[in-house]
Protein backbone atom coordinates (compact mmCIF):
# COMPACT_ATOMS: atom_id res chain seq x y z
CA UNK A 1 0.00 0.00 0.00
CA UNK A 2 1.44 3.34 -1.05
CA UNK A 3 1.36 6.47 1.09
CA UNK A 4 -0.59 9.49 -0.17
CA UNK A 5 2.70 11.46 -0.30
CA UNK A 6 4.34 8.96 -2.66
CA UNK A 7 1.59 9.02 -5.28
CA UNK A 8 2.36 12.42 -6.86
CA UNK A 9 2.20 12.26 -10.67
CA UNK A 10 0.84 8.70 -10.84
CA UNK A 11 -2.04 9.47 -8.48
CA UNK A 12 -4.73 9.97 -11.15
CA UNK A 13 -3.85 6.86 -13.16
CA UNK A 14 -3.01 4.73 -10.11
CA UNK A 15 -6.20 5.58 -8.23
CA UNK A 16 -8.41 5.25 -11.32
CA UNK A 17 -6.94 1.89 -12.32
CA UNK A 18 -6.98 0.54 -8.77
CA UNK A 19 -10.59 1.63 -8.26
CA UNK A 20 -11.67 0.11 -11.59
CA UNK A 21 -9.79 -3.12 -10.91
CA UNK A 22 -11.24 -3.37 -7.39
CA UNK A 23 -14.75 -2.77 -8.71
CA UNK A 24 -14.29 -5.44 -11.39
CA UNK A 25 -13.09 -8.00 -8.81
CA UNK A 26 -16.02 -7.12 -6.54
CA UNK A 27 -18.55 -7.64 -9.38
CA UNK A 28 -16.97 -10.95 -10.37
CA UNK A 29 -16.97 -12.09 -6.74
CA UNK A 30 -20.68 -11.24 -6.32
CA UNK A 31 -21.55 -13.06 -9.56
CA UNK A 32 -19.53 -16.10 -8.51
CA UNK A 33 -21.27 -16.24 -5.10
CA UNK A 34 -24.71 -15.85 -6.73
CA UNK A 35 -23.93 -18.66 -9.20
CA UNK A 36 -22.69 -20.88 -6.36
CA UNK A 37 -25.87 -20.29 -4.34
CA UNK A 38 -28.04 -21.11 -7.38
CA UNK A 39 -26.02 -24.26 -8.02
CA UNK A 40 -26.25 -25.42 -4.39
CA UNK A 41 -30.01 -24.82 -4.23
CA UNK A 42 -30.74 -27.24 -7.11
Amino acid sequence: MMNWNDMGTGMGWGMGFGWLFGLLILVLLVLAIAALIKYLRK
Side-chain angles (χ1 to χ4, degrees):
M1 192 73 186
M2 286 190 293
N3 292 329
W4 290 108
N5 293 335
D6 296 334
M7 299 186 85
T9 53
M11 184 175 175
W13 186 85
M15 285 294 289
F17 188 74
W19 183 78
L20 250 167
F21 195 66
L23 192 69
L24 184 67
I25 289 175
L26 195 68
V27 170
L28 287 172
L29 194 66
V30 169
L31 285 172
I33 291 168
L36 189 66
I37 289 169
K38 276 188 179 181
Y39 178 75
L40 290 173
R41 278 189 177 176
K42 269 187 181 175

